[in-house]
Amino acid sequence: MELVEVYKQIILEIKNNLKYYQNDDINFIFNENDNSKFKFLSSDKETQDKNTFKSNDNNLSKESKMDKINAQVMRCKKCSLYKIRNNTVLGEGSLNSEIMFIGEGPGENEDLTGRPFVGKAGELLVKIIENVLKLKREDVYMANIVKCRPPGNRNPNDLEVSACINYLHEQIKIINPKIIVPLGSVALSRLLPRYNGITKNRGREMKLILSREDIYDVIPTYHPSYLLRGSQSEINKKKREVWEDIKKIMKKLNMLI
Ligand code: URA
Ligand code: SF4
């Protein structure tokens, strides 16, 4: 990609993200020492200092970096979801995975176990991973947009997403996957706010730009729980579409189909 194109995409990404980050709670949201890249939005000098990236973090192993994020998440109170959680759900899988699946947030089973994708939707995702990608659950990495369960499995709201998404961005940078697969419209639009709706965007190749050095390929597909809904012919159609998406993903990973 030409440099000017990269800059254009970065500016577009920032503009798209600003609607989530420009609110009065900005100091509250980013007042922890979490290396927030949005520190420039904070007017509070002390917060800015606290959020300054610690360069010696670069020397830590992937495991140590992820452990640090997990420790932050486990004591996180940046949005009100912390009040009703049983467990935080950071993510799970290989830190060297070339592929990262992103859901919207923990459901009941995930909240009870502290693990992502362990309920019904998870079972189907694992089937896709095993039968279509020919990989094991532990070979890939799975995470969510928010790390605490929204009540009644509702979609996470703007405030919750803006408080939590930086953890996911940091996870992505640690794993450095070749391809990111948002599952469903919530995961997609929260990761890349300019894309709305999964039906018209599934299978499209996109870029996630977190910084000049951190640019990732993204191909979204349906959320597994959406796959299970509808008449048999609708389900079959959606399964065929997921198969098409997975083939594209495998091509990107140079995997034999
Ligand atoms: N659905 C999601 O989006 N994430 C999970 O972890 C489980 C179900
Ligand atoms: Fe913190 Fe995210 Fe949990 Fe909110 S959902 S309390 S931001 S870890």
Side-chain angles (χ1 to χ4, degrees), residues 73 76-79 81-82 85 146-148 160 163-164 167:
V73 164
C76 180
K77 294 181 177 178
K78 290 200 277 187
C79 82
L81 293 181
Y82 85 89
R85 71 185 173 212
V146 293
K147 312 304 185 198
C148 303
E160 291 153 3
C164 208
Y167 295 128

Side-chain angles (χ1 to χ4, degrees), residues 103-105 110 116-117 144 223:
E104 55 192 71
E110 290 77 18
F117 289 103
N144 283 300
H223 192 282

Side-chain angles (χ1 to χ4, degrees), residues 175-188:
I175 292 165
N176 192 21
K178 278 200 183 137
I179 188 95
I180 298 173
V181 185
L183 299 166
S185 61
V186 173
L188 171 62

